[in-house]
Amino acid sequence: MSENEDLISSLYPPPPPYFKFFTEENRAKLEAWQKDHDGKEQSVPEPPGELKFLVPPKQPEGTHYRGYGSLWSFEDKLPSLEDSGWKKLYESVDDQDTSRAKIHELHKLTDSLLLCFLELIGIMSIEPQQFHVKIEDLKLILININHILNTYRPHQSRESLIMLLRQNIEQKRSEITEIDKTCDSIRQRIEAIMDQDTGQSEVVEPSSEKPNRQAIVSEILTNFRENSQ
């Protein structure tokens, strides 16, 4: 195998070895095992053998779990800065606060950010080796700004959903309008053809019955609407 093939094959890890246990036969065995142990008082820790790989794992105990090197909460909420290990530089702002209060705090943090940046420039011109202090201050201010902006996530989700629903409504209305235009065009063409045929039939067979033009047009348009849905 060439070096390029080794590189490509190592981009993604192979599937876990227990994937081969997910067969129809094992699923039937698991269902039979669950029926046998359903309703029994004694607790069985897990199915025997390879059937245990077919049972989803239980939720870890506690309120948090660790995944991909980060600590996550089971409760779907925005963690506070204190819980994340950062100092809060603004007054209490949460999802229940008004937008005016959040904007006021963002303005103050932005002013502090600009001032801290100017101080960083001054330190770089006088004592460059002390730059890391202001870098940490800038980082802390930016994290506080980001945390306030994240409180707008529920509002953003609602507005995005409203916008998506409005786009779908407008699309449906546009489709209905196009269908109505097509129906009107078809109706006009059918009536023109029937007028032409009626004139010819009157010349050839004056005593023949005239066709019910409105009923024929309605039937054709009804079939067209049903096929277009």
Side-chain angles (χ1 to χ4, degrees):
M1 186 178 293
S2 63
E3 182 179 353
N4 292 333
E5 292 178 350
D6 291 337
L7 179 60
I8 294 176
S9 63
S10 63
L11 290 177
Y12 301 98
Y18 51 81
F19 82 95
K20 58 185 178 182
F21 301 143
F22 288 82
T23 61
E24 294 296 334
E25 181 181 0
N26 284 342
R27 289 180 60 184
K29 291 181 180 179
L30 179 62
E31 292 179 359
W33 182 88
Q34 289 175 343
K35 290 180 180 179
D36 293 339
H37 295 79
D38 188 17
K40 294 185 177 181
E41 296 182 358
Q42 66 273 18
S43 59
V44 180
E46 59 184 14
E50 61 189 29
L51 297 181
K52 62 183 179 181
F53 294 101
L54 278 68
V55 179
K58 297 181 180 180
Q59 177 177 314
E61 298 180 355
T63 59
H64 294 76
Y65 68 96
R66 184 173 297 276
Y68 300 101
S70 300
L71 192 64
W72 305 90
S73 174
F74 288 113
E75 186 179 358
D76 188 14
K77 69 174 184 178
L78 180 65
S80 63
L81 288 172
E82 291 83 355
D83 295 338
S84 303
W86 295 96
K87 180 181 178 181
K88 187 169 67 173
L89 303 178
Y90 56 87
E91 297 180 1
S92 180
V93 175
D94 53 26
D95 295 338
Q96 305 300 326
D97 289 331
T98 61
S99 179
R100 185 183 300 273
K102 296 178 182 179
I103 293 174
H104 179 66
E105 295 298 331
L106 285 173
H107 278 302
K108 293 196 299 183
L109 288 173
T110 303
D111 293 339
S112 299
L113 182 66
L114 294 175
L115 178 60
C116 188
F117 181 73
L118 292 176
E119 292 177 350
L120 174 63
I121 295 176
I123 289 177
M124 292 296 294
S125 62
I126 300 174
E127 196 173 3
Q129 64 272 17
Q130 300 296 329
F131 75 96
H132 61 278
V133 177
K134 288 302 174 182
I135 292 294
E136 292 299 324
D137 292 342
L138 288 173
K139 184 177 180 180
L140 180 60
I141 295 173
L142 289 173
I143 288 176
N144 278 261
I145 292 175
N146 181 72
H147 190 268
I148 295 180
L149 294 178
N150 282 335
T151 60
Y152 283 98
R153 293 297 183 185
H155 174 73
Q156 181 187 11
S157 300
R158 289 192 297 268
E159 292 299 322
S160 299
L161 181 59
I162 292 173
M163 182 178 62
L164 181 61
L165 292 175
R166 287 177 177 173
Q167 290 177 352
N168 290 337
I169 292 174
E170 292 298 327
Q171 182 181 359
K172 296 299 181 182
R173 288 177 177 174
S174 177
E175 292 176 356
I176 292 173
T177 302
E178 292 297 327
I179 291 175
D180 291 339
K181 290 181 180 179
T182 305
C183 290
D184 293 338
S185 177
I186 293 175
R187 181 184 292 108
Q188 294 175 2
R189 293 182 182 181
I190 292 175
E191 290 178 351
I193 294 173
M194 294 187 67
D195 289 339
Q196 184 179 1
D197 293 341
T198 302
Q200 294 177 358
S201 62
E202 289 177 353
V203 173
V204 178
E205 299 178 358
S207 61
S208 61
E209 296 182 358
K210 295 182 180 180
N212 191 348
R213 180 171 59 185
Q214 189 64 29
I216 296 175
V217 173
S218 299
E219 181 179 359
I220 294 175
L221 292 177
T222 301
N223 294 332
F224 171 76
R225 288 191 179 96
E226 291 177 353
N227 295 329
S228 63
Q229 289 179 354

